Amino acid sequence: MIWPFKPRFRKQIARIEITGAIASGTRKRVLEALKTVEERKFPALLLRIDSPGGTVGDSQEIYSALKRLRNKIKIVASFGNISASGGVYIGMGAEHIIANPGTITGSIGVILRGNNLERLLEKIGVSFKVIKSGPYKDILSFDRELTEPEQTILQELIDVSYQQFVQTVAEGRSLAVETVKTFADGRIFTGQQALELGVVDRLGTEEDARRWTAELVGLDPEKTPCYTLEEPKPLLSRVLPGSRQLGSGIGAGIDWLEFEMSTSGLPLWLYRP
């Protein structure tokens, strides 16, 4: 696709914001935005991350796309209030990372949760008859406890995902794998601590990140604006801006509930406070 205003975009910094739990919707939006950044030939990208993480596969796809784009333009990640677990993983796709001193980050690890409602079902007299092709086809079924072999299978799955995470952080931050493992035990830490550990390059605000990004590509940090790529707002939100704020709290709660339900039984790179 040919864009008529390429020179204008070449004098701006693209900005993409990743907020909330990372899932398929986030992946689709961010991948489309990254494609636009490349097509319009922005010289640099400021990636603002304010997320507790999310699904493994979606985080990996965003990271891979950033890594490819990094071969063509400069990418700087700015960690906001929280950039943990999958948020950290995505940040590894940036060439440089800046965080606030008080940013909550880290939580490098994997979690998988299932629900066991066996005792509740017994009380109300509900049971299930299962016909399956193999002993593990109903692994993490909510009507019974895990067996020891099932726990072993799931632990091995978690361990493989964890190794992928650690390896990516080690490569992204030029650290030894064993060094990363000393703090990649699920703990959270501040931006100040992340700097000391080598997870981020600098401390500062998003504005500091914008100025740094401009300097990296030879643009004037005093004058270079950011062009934020975001999904179009619904018509109602554009006509009645207040309507978006009215439902934001309820909407956020519903979104999180949907995320919890849709990811039950999946390995997650997610900080759960």
Side-chain angles (χ1 to χ4, degrees):
M1 184 181 295
I2 298 176
W3 296 93
F5 304 111
K6 284 183 180 177
R8 177 167 66 92
F9 292 127
R10 286 173 180 162
K11 295 180 181 180
Q12 296 184 41
I13 296 169
R15 178 182 179 275
I16 297 175
E17 189 170 354
I18 297 177
T19 59
I22 299 162
S24 60
T26 309
R27 171 181 53 79
K28 293 175 184 176
R29 176 180 64 82
V30 174
L31 293 185
E32 186 62 33
L34 292 175
K35 182 180 178 182
T36 300
V37 171
E38 184 174 1
E39 289 178 341
R40 297 186 182 184
K41 299 188 182 301
F42 284 94
L45 167 64
L46 173 58
L47 186 69
R48 177 68 170 183
I49 304 174
D50 206 332
S51 169
T55 50
V56 173
D58 293 308
S59 299
Q60 287 182 325
E61 289 199 28
I62 294 172
Y63 162 78
S64 296
L66 286 166
K67 195 174 179 181
R68 288 193 298 269
L69 185 61
R70 195 173 68 189
N71 293 325
K72 300 180 180 180
I73 70 172
K74 296 290 185 181
I75 302 178
V76 175
S78 167
F79 288 177
N81 291 314
I82 179 171
S83 182
S85 208
V88 172
Y89 193 94
I90 288 175
M92 294 301 109
E95 189 175 6
H96 305 288
I97 304 175
I98 187 170
N100 291 292
T103 293
I104 297 299
T105 185
S107 189
I108 299 171
V110 193
I111 186 171
L112 184 152
R113 297 202 325 179
N115 300 310
N116 182 10
L117 305 181
E118 183 178 8
R119 293 176 63 184
L120 174 62
L121 294 173
E122 286 178 354
K123 286 184 178 180
I124 60 178
V126 175
S127 63
F128 295 87
K129 303 299 181 184
V130 179
I131 309 299
K132 53 188 178 180
S133 59
Y136 307 119
K137 187 59 180 174
D138 64 339
I139 196 168
L140 275 177
S141 178
F142 63 82
D143 62 328
R144 63 176 179 81
E145 285 282 357
L146 283 170
T147 65
E148 287 190 12
E150 287 174 333
Q151 291 183 34
T152 299
I153 289 171
L154 293 175
Q155 187 61 59
E156 289 175 351
L157 181 150
I158 293 298
D159 291 344
V160 170
S161 180
Y162 170 74
Q163 290 297 335
Q164 294 170 358
F165 201 153
V166 169
Q167 186 65 42
T168 297
V169 174
E171 291 176 358
R173 305 309 300 159
S174 298
L175 298 171
V177 168
E178 292 307 315
T179 299
V180 175
K181 286 183 177 180
T182 62
F183 57 80
D185 52 8
R187 77 182 72 177
I188 56 173
F189 37 82
T190 67
Q192 175 68 53
Q193 292 171 310
L195 177 65
E196 295 167 0
L197 293 170
V199 177
V200 304
D201 298 296
R202 294 185 185 181
L203 297 179
T205 64
E206 184 180 359
E207 172 61 15
D208 294 326
R210 182 199 64 78
R211 296 175 64 88
W212 188 17
T213 307
E215 292 170 356
L216 287 172
V217 291
L219 296 175
D220 186 347
E222 301 294 336
K223 300 178 180 179
T224 303
C226 281
Y227 184 98
T228 301
L229 292 107
E230 55 186 353
E231 48 187 352
K233 297 178 182 178
L235 178 61
L236 182 61
S237 295
R238 282 179 279 163
V239 176
L240 300 172
S243 64
R244 186 181 180 187
Q245 295 180 354
L246 182 64
S248 61
I250 297 175
I254 292 174
D255 288 345
W256 187 257
L257 179 60
E258 289 179 349
F259 177 82
E260 288 274 3
M261 294 178 65
S262 65
T263 59
S264 178
L266 290 178
L268 299 175
W269 288 336
L270 180 70
Y271 166 55
R272 293 179 181 271

